[in-house]
Amino acid sequence: TQMARMWQSIAIVAALCLAVAMATPLDDYVNKPDPTYKWEVVNSVRGFNFTAFNIKLTSQTWMDPTKVSISVWTHWLQICIPDDLPSQIKTALVYIDGGGNNLAGGLGNPPKEMDTFTGLICQTAGTVVAHLGQIPNQPIIFASDPAKVHRSEDAMVAWTWREFLHDTNSPEWLARLPMTKAVVRAMDTIQSFVRQQFFRSVPTFVVAGASKRGWTTWTTAAVDKRVAAMIPIVMPMGNMTPLINAMYRVYGNWSFALQDYINADVMEFLGTPQFDAMEAIIDPVNYYNRWTTLPKYVIAACGDEFFLPDSTRFFWDQLPHPKVLRMAPNAEHSMLTAPAIDVVYGIDTFVQRLIRNMALPTWDFQLTYSNSTASIRAWTTSNYQPTAVYLYQATTLSSVYRDFRLIRCAHKQWDCLNPVLWHSKALPVAPGQTEWSASVTAPSSGWTGFLLEAVFPGGYTTGDPLNPDKWIRVTTSVNVVPDRLPFESCETLHTCQPPIPWNP
């Protein structure tokens, strides 16, 4: 009827208005057409049972060239095609990585072999696996920088925060926007390349990355519905302001790892409307409603110099299921001290079970906080059972600072080491058991952190003659006892921004 059609039209218009209202500057930037985008296959390299194609990807033009020394972003995109590529591809893995361009923004020679990490997964994945480099394009000189120095990694990202915080009407300054768009363009390229060269479609992607690339993993999943699952690594970020405040309160100052942000004058804005405006664009927590069915495997480090071992306390309960967490004991931000094979096998198992329509592990938990005796209860709700469960715990060496970092300063001397070691204890696993718990009493001085870890078997045939059985480790969040932070908030003390330059 005419009335029904009218109401249908009203509903469509309302839905469109809601979609527009929910769009953020991140969405706007990623979706903005950019004629700079292009790609070309440069060469290929042969692996054990795959071929990796080196593609020169031009993802976008970012900012005016009068403002930044590199405005056109280029990347090496390696696409690994296994010899046994199936006729029907369910999903592909994209690993987001760093690396640099030359000072003029050029890429240099193509890689001579497949990236080791993604190459290991490609050997047994049975699907397309890609490695995207130069996220972000760096080093960069900013015209607004009086020092006119080449900035990379945190120094580059921090300066873009500074630019935005001084002019919140220019969100394109935030490096997270072009970093995210580059991954979206990489997925476009993978789909086009595989369709043209192998006559197959790649419908969805699993996106993974570490550190700044881990943050880009969160934001890529927020803006592109082709992302079927995500694996952010050493980037337990959500609810930025309370999380950052807690970072100050454990040390009574900032960790040395944040030096680039201090020297860019970023902390002066903590708690201000400008900082809130930045959070609204780049804080993953603002995109949680887009991930209600998206599997998430969050990997972080217990001894991270950037983040607290219990950073997940600020966002994990709000993050929608399905989700699993892996807090790696005895690992710092680079994860160099973590068993690399655990990380690789965990990611491989997560991806393989998605591809094979197998159940993912479930490891839910409840933490009870206390100043005397704290506890963790963890349980699995699927027929996919762990083969081993461990209680890990560690106690700070300091009675003054709640410091679980493995490295506490930047000058690479012995006094920078802070060997807070996590020790494990195996818990009984009875047939059919689905729940485990542990309680830990506060130490006589300092703080004790603890978690429960479950080891789930891969449950599939890998074709890898050296390691036919793989696994995935998942954990609870870290609980810390006593449940108190030793210092006041920097916002309360009005000490968030130290003098510049800051040399911790």
Side-chain angles (χ1 to χ4, degrees):
T1 66
Q2 186 175 0
M3 182 64 71
R5 287 195 298 271
M6 182 186 74
W7 282 111
Q8 184 180 33
S9 298
I10 292 173
I12 292 172
V13 171
L16 289 173
C17 290
L18 179 62
V20 171
M22 292 177 62
T24 71
L26 175 65
D27 299 290
D28 296 339
Y29 181 85
V30 168
N31 294 324
K32 181 176 64 176
D34 188 336
T36 309
Y37 166 63
K38 62 182 179 179
W39 59 273
E40 61 174 315
V41 180
V42 175
N43 63 9
S44 62
V45 293
R46 184 68 188 157
F48 172 68
N49 58 357
F50 61 81
T51 302
F53 295 85
N54 287 319
I55 292 177
K56 182 180 179 181
L57 167 64
T58 302
S59 65
Q60 66 205 286
T61 296
W62 174 66
M63 301 305 298
D64 189 294
T66 62
K67 297 179 179 179
V68 292
S69 62
I70 300 177
S71 58
V72 177
W73 280 29
T74 56
H75 320 262
W76 284 120
L77 173 64
Q78 289 188 299
I79 302 178
C80 179
I81 306 294
D83 293 346
D84 58 349
L85 184 69
S87 58
Q88 298 292 325
I89 299 172
K90 181 177 180 181
T91 194
L93 172 67
V94 179
Y95 186 75
I96 313 165
D97 210 347
N101 309 72
N102 61 36
L103 297 183
L107 277 175
N109 295 325
K112 294 182 179 180
E113 58 186 5
M114 186 69 189
D115 167 75
T116 302
F117 177 79
T118 44
L120 286 171
I121 295 178
C122 187
Q123 287 180 13
T124 59
T127 191
V128 175
V129 177
H131 177 269
L132 175 63
Q134 290 79 35
I135 304 294
N137 267 209
Q138 56 190 2
I140 290 180
I141 298 175
F142 294 94
S144 58
D145 180 4
K148 295 294 186 291
V149 295
H150 288 95
R151 293 180 177 270
S152 297
E153 294 294 304
D154 286 295
M156 180 266 188
V157 173
W159 197 265
T160 70
W161 285 22
R162 173 193 171 94
E163 293 282 2
F164 172 78
L165 291 169
H166 282 89
D167 181 11
T168 57
N169 291 317
S170 301
E172 67 274 11
W173 265 116
L174 295 169
R176 192 65 48 212
L177 276 59
M179 292 167 74
T180 303
K181 187 166 187 169
V183 184
V184 171
R185 291 294 166 261
M187 293 191 292
D188 294 341
T189 302
I190 294 164
Q191 287 183 319
S192 297
F193 171 78
V194 174
R195 182 172 59 250
Q196 292 176 17
Q197 298 295 321
F198 298 94
F199 309 103
R200 290 165 172 80
S201 63
V202 180
T204 65
F205 295 87
V206 179
V207 180
S211 190
K212 296 156 206 64
R213 280 61 62 171
W215 200 326
T216 306
T217 298
W218 289 111
T219 51
T220 302
V223 300
D224 199 311
K225 292 184 178 179
R226 291 173 296 180
V227 177
M230 62 171 157
I231 310 171
I233 305 170
V234 290
M235 186 46 66
M237 172 54 71
N239 279 330
M240 286 176 65
T241 293
L243 192 156
I244 292 172
N245 263 310
M247 292 177 185
Y248 185 96
R249 294 190 62 192
V250 299
Y251 312 121
N253 207 325
W254 300 110
S255 174
F256 74 94
L258 301 179
Q259 182 172 5
D260 288 319
Y261 297 88
I262 308 302
N263 286 338
D265 204 24
V266 164
M267 295 307 180
E268 177 186 348
F269 292 89
L270 192 63
T272 66
Q274 295 96 312
F275 204 91
D276 293 343
M278 184 173 71
E279 283 189 61
I281 300 170
I282 65 172
D283 191 338
V285 76
N286 294 309
Y287 300 96
Y288 281 5
N289 63 338
R290 304 184 185 188
W291 301 331
T292 54
T293 61
L294 198 71
K296 297 160 281 286
Y297 183 29
V298 180
I299 303 173
C302 289
D304 198 317
E305 58 270 30
F306 281 89
F307 294 99
L308 307 179
D310 54 342
S311 289
T312 53
R313 180 173 182 173
F314 295 93
F315 66 86
W316 188 258
D317 288 345
Q318 300 172 49
L319 186 66
H321 285 85
K323 59 184 177 181
V324 283
L325 174 66
R326 197 288 169 93
M327 295 299 306
N330 300 316
E332 35 69 66
H333 189 71
S334 71
M335 298 287 279
L336 289 177
T337 54
I341 201 68
D342 275 349
V343 178
V344 175
Y345 278 10
I347 292 173
D348 192 21
T349 297
F350 184 79
V351 174
Q352 287 284 359
R353 293 186 72 88
L354 283 171
I355 292 172
R356 298 162 188 257
N357 296 314
M358 301 170 72
L360 293 171
T362 62
W363 191 241
D364 296 315
F365 48 85
Q366 182 180 45
L367 276 60
T368 301
Y369 302 100
S370 173
N371 284 327
S372 54
T373 299
S375 63
I376 299 177
R377 183 174 70 91
W379 63 93
T380 180
T381 56
S382 71
N383 293 325
Y384 183 29
Q385 298 295 308
T387 55
V389 175
Y390 299 95
L391 166 65
Y392 276 89
Q393 64 184 77
T395 299
T396 62
L397 302 181
S398 172
S399 60
V400 177
Y401 306 104
R402 187 182 181 267
D403 192 355
F404 289 90
R405 295 172 298 176
L406 285 174
I407 304 169
R408 62 185 181 187
C409 54
H411 57 256
K412 299 180 181 179
Q413 301 297 323
W414 286 108
D415 62 341
C416 284
L417 298 181
N418 185 42
V420 179
L421 301 181
W422 294 72
H423 302 280
S424 66
K425 173 186 176 183
L427 301 184
V429 180
Q433 185 175 356
T434 60
E435 183 174 321
W436 291 261
S437 61
S439 297
V440 173
T441 301
S444 56
S445 68
W447 289 261
T448 295
F450 63 106
L451 60 83
L452 290 178
E453 177 187 81
V455 183
F456 288 83
Y460 55 88
T461 301
T462 67
D464 183 348
L466 298 178
N467 292 288
D469 299 316
K470 297 188 178 179
W471 60 84
I472 180 171
R473 295 179 184 271
V474 299
T475 71
T476 65
S477 288
V478 172
N479 200 344
V480 179
V481 60
D483 183 33
R484 62 177 180 83
L485 302 179
F487 299 97
E488 290 290 331
S489 163
C490 69
E491 290 188 51
T492 301
L493 299 172
H494 305 290
T495 55
C496 293
Q497 179 59 53
I500 300 172
W502 184 65
N503 295 299

